[in-house]
Amino acid sequence: MDKKKKRLVMRTVILAVLVIGIAYTIYAAATQDKTKTLQVGDDAPDFVLTDLEGNKHKLSDYKGQGVFLNFWGTWCPPCEKEMPYMNSQYEVYKDQGIEMLAVNIAQSEFEVQTFVDRYGLGFPVVIDTTKSVRNAYSVRQLPATILVSPEGKVTEITTGELTEQRIGEMLESIKPN
């Protein structure tokens, strides 16, 4: 009889855990749709992230400049492929009122620095350690690029790998007058 009671208690606990898990999943799915998704025309959410040299980058400090925000990871082949293109176009546009920020999603400083060194990247690379910026910008898949006008408005949201020509067109579109 003692074995049967233990088995009954164990089964009841497992059933309770499953019911709680299912209830939480349903709740999370129901409330997720209520969070606002960033759209073209919205004000770009402000943030402060630190680059690999220890410099702070606050989006609102770039008001008056176009900002090219690229969300990426070292493990992402399309991200890796577009980085040299970004670097090349950054060299062309950096003195024309354009800022480029590569926002890494929560990887270690060592991983990111190794990647930056391998490709000789000249633009600021910051790490979103808490994923709060990724969430504020509704980034679900990498790479993702968000263009911010000199007035601080989101002008384009693009997911997927970019060509060098496309990056140039994007930078041209946010260049201050």
Side-chain angles (χ1 to χ4, degrees), residues 40-41 145-148 153-158 166 170 173:
V40 169
T145 303
I146 289 127
L147 300 184
V148 180
K153 298 279 185 192
V154 173
T155 62
E156 188 174 333
I157 300 169
T158 303
R166 182 70 186 111
M170 293 170 95
S173 77

Side-chain angles (χ1 to χ4, degrees), residues 42-115:
D42 289 349
D43 288 329
D46 201 12
F47 62 84
V48 178
L49 290 175
T50 305
D51 68 22
L52 297 171
E53 283 77 49
N55 303 311
K56 295 208 177 299
H57 294 269
K58 183 175 183 180
L59 183 67
S60 57
D61 288 346
Y62 297 116
K63 206 122 185 165
Q65 298 178 61
V67 181
F68 181 98
L69 286 177
N70 180 264
F71 292 83
W72 68 286
T74 62
W75 47 266
C76 161
C79 302
E80 189 171 2
K81 192 170 178 191
E82 70 185 8
M83 282 292 171
Y85 303 151
M86 287 169 49
N87 201 47
S88 172
Q89 290 302 305
Y90 175 71
E91 291 303 317
V92 172
Y93 284 92
K94 69 180 179 183
D95 297 323
Q96 297 182 42
I98 298 287
E99 188 55 67
M100 183 178 284
L101 288 175
V103 181
N104 176 271
I105 306 300
Q107 289 187 268
S108 74
E109 200 169 309
F110 176 77
E111 287 173 295
V112 175
Q113 187 66 61
T114 301
F115 184 92

Side-chain angles (χ1 to χ4, degrees), residues 112-129:
V112 175
Q113 187 66 61
T114 301
F115 184 92
V116 167
D117 292 345
R118 181 171 12 149
Y119 289 97
L121 303 179
F123 49 83
V125 176
V126 296
I127 302 174
D128 183 12
T129 54

